[in-house]
mmCIF file of all heavy atoms in Angstrom:
data_model
loop_
_atom_site.group_PDB
_atom_site.id
_atom_site.type_symbol
_atom_site.label_atom_id
_atom_site.label_comp_id
_atom_site.label_asym_id
_atom_site.label_seq_id
_atom_site.Cartn_x
_atom_site.Cartn_y
_atom_site.Cartn_z
ATOM 1 N N GLU A 306 34.678 11.356 22.817
ATOM 2 C CA GLU A 306 35.980 10.846 23.255
ATOM 3 C C GLU A 306 37.116 11.223 22.306
ATOM 4 O O GLU A 306 38.176 10.589 22.321
ATOM 5 C CB GLU A 306 35.931 9.318 23.411
ATOM 6 C CG GLU A 306 34.804 8.799 24.283
ATOM 7 C CD GLU A 306 34.872 9.366 25.703
ATOM 8 O OE1 GLU A 306 35.993 9.524 26.229
ATOM 9 O OE2 GLU A 306 33.797 9.663 26.262
ATOM 10 N N GLU A 307 36.936 12.232 21.510
ATOM 11 C CA GLU A 307 37.982 12.587 20.554
ATOM 12 C C GLU A 307 39.176 13.226 21.261
ATOM 13 O O GLU A 307 39.033 13.980 22.217
ATOM 14 C CB GLU A 307 37.442 13.549 19.501
ATOM 15 C CG GLU A 307 38.464 13.866 18.413
ATOM 16 C CD GLU A 307 37.847 14.549 17.216
ATOM 17 O OE1 GLU A 307 36.684 15.001 17.322
ATOM 18 O OE2 GLU A 307 38.510 14.638 16.172
ATOM 19 N N ARG A 308 40.349 12.910 20.725
ATOM 20 C CA ARG A 308 41.594 13.475 21.237
ATOM 21 C C ARG A 308 42.474 13.869 20.055
ATOM 22 O O ARG A 308 42.235 13.465 18.923
ATOM 23 C CB ARG A 308 42.334 12.461 22.126
ATOM 24 C CG ARG A 308 41.588 12.106 23.406
ATOM 25 C CD ARG A 308 41.509 13.311 24.336
ATOM 26 N NE ARG A 308 40.816 13.022 25.583
ATOM 27 C CZ ARG A 308 39.532 13.262 25.806
ATOM 28 N NH1 ARG A 308 38.784 13.794 24.839
ATOM 29 N NH2 ARG A 308 38.980 12.983 26.960
ATOM 30 N N PHE A 309 43.517 14.635 20.338
ATOM 31 C CA PHE A 309 44.486 14.961 19.298
ATOM 32 C C PHE A 309 45.133 13.676 18.784
ATOM 33 O O PHE A 309 45.354 12.725 19.548
ATOM 34 C CB PHE A 309 45.571 15.889 19.846
ATOM 35 C CG PHE A 309 45.108 17.312 20.004
ATOM 36 C CD1 PHE A 309 44.746 17.805 21.253
ATOM 37 C CD2 PHE A 309 45.044 18.170 18.910
ATOM 38 C CE1 PHE A 309 44.330 19.109 21.424
ATOM 39 C CE2 PHE A 309 44.623 19.478 19.074
ATOM 40 C CZ PHE A 309 44.262 19.960 20.323
ATOM 41 N N ASN A 310 45.442 13.636 17.497
ATOM 42 C CA ASN A 310 46.079 12.455 16.909
ATOM 43 C C ASN A 310 47.543 12.342 17.303
ATOM 44 O O ASN A 310 48.047 11.254 17.537
ATOM 45 C CB ASN A 310 45.975 12.512 15.374
ATOM 46 C CG ASN A 310 44.554 12.388 14.880
ATOM 47 O OD1 ASN A 310 43.948 11.327 14.979
ATOM 48 N ND2 ASN A 310 44.000 13.474 14.355
ATOM 49 N N ASN A 311 48.230 13.467 17.366
ATOM 50 C CA ASN A 311 49.652 13.455 17.674
ATOM 51 C C ASN A 311 49.897 13.393 19.178
ATOM 52 O O ASN A 311 48.996 13.623 19.992
ATOM 53 C CB ASN A 311 50.324 14.704 17.091
ATOM 54 C CG ASN A 311 50.704 14.519 15.634
ATOM 55 O OD1 ASN A 311 51.692 13.853 15.333
ATOM 56 N ND2 ASN A 311 49.915 15.093 14.735
ATOM 57 N N ASP A 312 51.133 13.080 19.522
ATOM 58 C CA ASP A 312 51.476 13.009 20.934
ATOM 59 C C ASP A 312 51.452 14.403 21.542
ATOM 60 O O ASP A 312 51.524 15.422 20.849
ATOM 61 C CB ASP A 312 52.857 12.378 21.112
ATOM 62 C CG ASP A 312 53.942 13.183 20.420
ATOM 63 O OD1 ASP A 312 54.463 14.114 21.053
ATOM 64 O OD2 ASP A 312 54.248 12.891 19.244
ATOM 65 N N ALA A 313 51.325 14.443 22.869
ATOM 66 C CA ALA A 313 51.126 15.701 23.587
ATOM 67 C C ALA A 313 52.256 16.687 23.342
ATOM 68 O O ALA A 313 52.018 17.894 23.181
ATOM 69 C CB ALA A 313 50.980 15.424 25.086
ATOM 70 N N ALA A 314 53.495 16.201 23.301
ATOM 71 C CA ALA A 314 54.623 17.117 23.132
ATOM 72 C C ALA A 314 54.569 17.814 21.777
ATOM 73 O O ALA A 314 54.802 19.021 21.675
ATOM 74 C CB ALA A 314 55.935 16.339 23.272
ATOM 75 N N ALA A 315 54.234 17.047 20.710
ATOM 76 C CA ALA A 315 54.164 17.645 19.380
ATOM 77 C C ALA A 315 53.026 18.655 19.298
ATOM 78 O O ALA A 315 53.185 19.762 18.762
ATOM 79 C CB ALA A 315 53.978 16.558 18.325
ATOM 80 N N VAL A 316 51.848 18.309 19.833
ATOM 81 C CA VAL A 316 50.710 19.221 19.802
ATOM 82 C C VAL A 316 51.009 20.470 20.614
ATOM 83 O O VAL A 316 50.716 21.604 20.197
ATOM 84 C CB VAL A 316 49.443 18.523 20.333
ATOM 85 C CG1 VAL A 316 48.300 19.524 20.473
ATOM 86 C CG2 VAL A 316 49.050 17.378 19.415
ATOM 87 N N ARG A 317 51.614 20.269 21.780
ATOM 88 C CA ARG A 317 51.919 21.405 22.664
ATOM 89 C C ARG A 317 52.856 22.386 21.967
ATOM 90 O O ARG A 317 52.630 23.611 21.983
ATOM 91 C CB ARG A 317 52.546 20.882 23.951
ATOM 92 C CG ARG A 317 52.743 21.932 25.035
ATOM 93 C CD ARG A 317 53.355 21.303 26.280
ATOM 94 N NE ARG A 317 52.478 20.302 26.865
ATOM 95 C CZ ARG A 317 52.762 18.997 26.950
ATOM 96 N NH1 ARG A 317 53.911 18.543 26.472
ATOM 97 N NH2 ARG A 317 51.914 18.172 27.504
ATOM 98 N N ASP A 318 53.883 21.860 21.326
ATOM 99 C CA ASP A 318 54.813 22.755 20.647
ATOM 100 C C ASP A 318 54.161 23.422 19.441
ATOM 101 O O ASP A 318 54.411 24.598 19.151
ATOM 102 C CB ASP A 318 56.053 21.977 20.200
ATOM 103 C CG ASP A 318 56.962 21.626 21.380
ATOM 104 O OD1 ASP A 318 56.809 22.262 22.441
ATOM 105 O OD2 ASP A 318 57.798 20.727 21.240
ATOM 106 N N ALA A 319 53.315 22.657 18.744
ATOM 107 C CA ALA A 319 52.645 23.227 17.578
ATOM 108 C C ALA A 319 51.682 24.330 17.976
ATOM 109 O O ALA A 319 51.519 25.323 17.250
ATOM 110 C CB ALA A 319 51.910 22.131 16.819
ATOM 111 N N LEU A 320 51.015 24.200 19.134
ATOM 112 C CA LEU A 320 50.072 25.232 19.588
ATOM 113 C C LEU A 320 50.754 26.571 19.813
ATOM 114 O O LEU A 320 50.100 27.625 19.796
ATOM 115 C CB LEU A 320 49.387 24.781 20.878
ATOM 116 C CG LEU A 320 48.296 23.712 20.734
ATOM 117 C CD1 LEU A 320 47.879 23.186 22.102
ATOM 118 C CD2 LEU A 320 47.093 24.276 19.987
ATOM 119 N N ARG A 321 52.050 26.533 20.022
ATOM 120 C CA ARG A 321 52.771 27.791 20.223
ATOM 121 C C ARG A 321 52.704 28.680 18.982
ATOM 122 O O ARG A 321 52.839 29.897 19.075
ATOM 123 C CB ARG A 321 54.223 27.513 20.597
ATOM 124 C CG ARG A 321 54.402 26.954 21.990
ATOM 125 C CD ARG A 321 55.859 26.993 22.466
ATOM 126 N NE ARG A 321 55.947 26.568 23.842
ATOM 127 C CZ ARG A 321 56.117 25.314 24.252
ATOM 128 N NH1 ARG A 321 56.252 24.351 23.339
ATOM 129 N NH2 ARG A 321 56.178 25.011 25.530
ATOM 130 N N ALA A 322 52.491 28.032 17.804
ATOM 131 C CA ALA A 322 52.394 28.820 16.571
ATOM 132 C C ALA A 322 51.185 29.746 16.584
ATOM 133 O O ALA A 322 51.159 30.766 15.880
ATOM 134 C CB ALA A 322 52.329 27.893 15.359
ATOM 135 N N LEU A 323 50.157 29.397 17.388
ATOM 136 C CA LEU A 323 48.942 30.210 17.456
ATOM 137 C C LEU A 323 48.902 31.109 18.689
ATOM 138 O O LEU A 323 47.944 31.871 18.855
ATOM 139 C CB LEU A 323 47.699 29.308 17.462
ATOM 140 C CG LEU A 323 47.455 28.451 16.223
ATOM 141 C CD1 LEU A 323 46.237 27.553 16.430
ATOM 142 C CD2 LEU A 323 47.258 29.322 14.994
ATOM 143 N N ARG A 324 49.897 31.011 19.542
ATOM 144 C CA ARG A 324 49.855 31.701 20.837
ATOM 145 C C ARG A 324 49.602 33.187 20.687
ATOM 146 O O ARG A 324 48.769 33.773 21.405
ATOM 147 C CB ARG A 324 51.168 31.458 21.594
ATOM 148 C CG ARG A 324 51.340 32.274 22.875
ATOM 149 C CD ARG A 324 50.239 31.959 23.891
ATOM 150 N NE ARG A 324 50.397 32.653 25.148
ATOM 151 C CZ ARG A 324 50.050 33.920 25.379
ATOM 152 N NH1 ARG A 324 49.524 34.655 24.386
ATOM 153 N NH2 ARG A 324 50.206 34.468 26.564
ATOM 154 N N ASP A 325 50.270 33.840 19.769
ATOM 155 C CA ASP A 325 50.170 35.291 19.664
ATOM 156 C C ASP A 325 49.349 35.745 18.460
ATOM 157 O O ASP A 325 49.423 36.910 18.060
ATOM 158 C CB ASP A 325 51.579 35.896 19.588
ATOM 159 C CG ASP A 325 52.366 35.630 20.871
ATOM 160 O OD1 ASP A 325 51.753 35.692 21.949
ATOM 161 O OD2 ASP A 325 53.572 35.349 20.765
ATOM 162 N N VAL A 326 48.568 34.833 17.912
ATOM 163 C CA VAL A 326 47.680 35.180 16.800
ATOM 164 C C VAL A 326 46.276 35.360 17.353
ATOM 165 O O VAL A 326 45.722 34.448 17.970
ATOM 166 C CB VAL A 326 47.693 34.075 15.716
ATOM 167 C CG1 VAL A 326 46.697 34.406 14.618
ATOM 168 C CG2 VAL A 326 49.096 33.906 15.136
ATOM 169 N N GLU A 327 45.697 36.549 17.157
ATOM 170 C CA GLU A 327 44.375 36.852 17.705
ATOM 171 C C GLU A 327 43.319 36.515 16.650
ATOM 172 O O GLU A 327 42.950 37.331 15.812
ATOM 173 C CB GLU A 327 44.295 38.334 18.074
ATOM 174 C CG GLU A 327 43.208 38.660 19.073
ATOM 175 C CD GLU A 327 43.527 38.160 20.479
ATOM 176 O OE1 GLU A 327 44.716 38.104 20.830
ATOM 177 O OE2 GLU A 327 42.572 37.825 21.209
ATOM 178 N N LEU A 328 42.813 35.291 16.703
ATOM 179 C CA LEU A 328 41.892 34.821 15.668
ATOM 180 C C LEU A 328 40.533 35.517 15.728
ATOM 181 O O LEU A 328 39.924 35.796 14.696
ATOM 182 C CB LEU A 328 41.695 33.307 15.786
ATOM 183 C CG LEU A 328 42.930 32.445 15.514
ATOM 184 C CD1 LEU A 328 42.636 30.995 15.840
ATOM 185 C CD2 LEU A 328 43.361 32.585 14.062
ATOM 186 N N SER A 329 40.033 35.771 16.904
ATOM 187 C CA SER A 329 38.682 36.317 17.024
ATOM 188 C C SER A 329 38.581 37.731 16.486
ATOM 189 O O SER A 329 37.475 38.195 16.166
ATOM 190 C CB SER A 329 38.224 36.282 18.484
ATOM 191 O OG SER A 329 39.130 36.996 19.307
ATOM 192 N N ASP A 330 39.689 38.443 16.354
ATOM 193 C CA ASP A 330 39.673 39.793 15.808
ATOM 194 C C ASP A 330 40.009 39.822 14.316
ATOM 195 O O ASP A 330 39.939 40.870 13.691
ATOM 196 C CB ASP A 330 40.676 40.688 16.547
ATOM 197 C CG ASP A 330 40.172 41.060 17.940
ATOM 198 O OD1 ASP A 330 38.955 40.947 18.157
ATOM 199 O OD2 ASP A 330 41.000 41.431 18.786
ATOM 200 N N ALA A 331 40.404 38.682 13.771
ATOM 201 C CA ALA A 331 40.749 38.622 12.349
ATOM 202 C C ALA A 331 39.488 38.379 11.523
ATOM 203 O O ALA A 331 38.615 37.622 11.936
ATOM 204 C CB ALA A 331 41.762 37.502 12.100
ATOM 205 N N PRO A 332 39.365 39.019 10.368
ATOM 206 C CA PRO A 332 38.213 38.731 9.502
ATOM 207 C C PRO A 332 38.136 37.242 9.196
ATOM 208 O O PRO A 332 39.149 36.605 8.927
ATOM 209 C CB PRO A 332 38.517 39.554 8.240
ATOM 210 C CG PRO A 332 39.439 40.638 8.697
ATOM 211 C CD PRO A 332 40.275 40.022 9.790
ATOM 212 N N ALA A 333 36.925 36.700 9.230
ATOM 213 C CA ALA A 333 36.764 35.259 9.045
ATOM 214 C C ALA A 333 37.311 34.799 7.707
ATOM 215 O O ALA A 333 37.897 33.720 7.599
ATOM 216 C CB ALA A 333 35.292 34.875 9.174
ATOM 217 N N HIS A 334 37.138 35.612 6.640
ATOM 218 C CA HIS A 334 37.616 35.160 5.343
ATOM 219 C C HIS A 334 39.141 35.106 5.306
ATOM 220 O O HIS A 334 39.721 34.293 4.581
ATOM 221 C CB HIS A 334 37.073 36.054 4.223
ATOM 222 C CG HIS A 334 37.728 37.399 4.135
ATOM 223 N ND1 HIS A 334 37.239 38.501 4.797
ATOM 224 C CD2 HIS A 334 38.834 37.820 3.476
ATOM 225 C CE1 HIS A 334 38.011 39.548 4.530
ATOM 226 N NE2 HIS A 334 38.984 39.156 3.736
#
Side-chain angles (χ1 to χ4, degrees):
E306 307 301 323
E307 185 167 13
R308 295 293 181 264
F309 284 101
N310 293 290
N311 276 283
D312 60 87
V316 173
R317 188 179 297 116
D318 287 342
L320 285 170
R321 289 194 175 89
L323 297 176
R324 172 61 177 80
D325 296 321
V326 176
E327 201 72 31
L328 295 173
S329 57
D330 286 340
H334 74 268

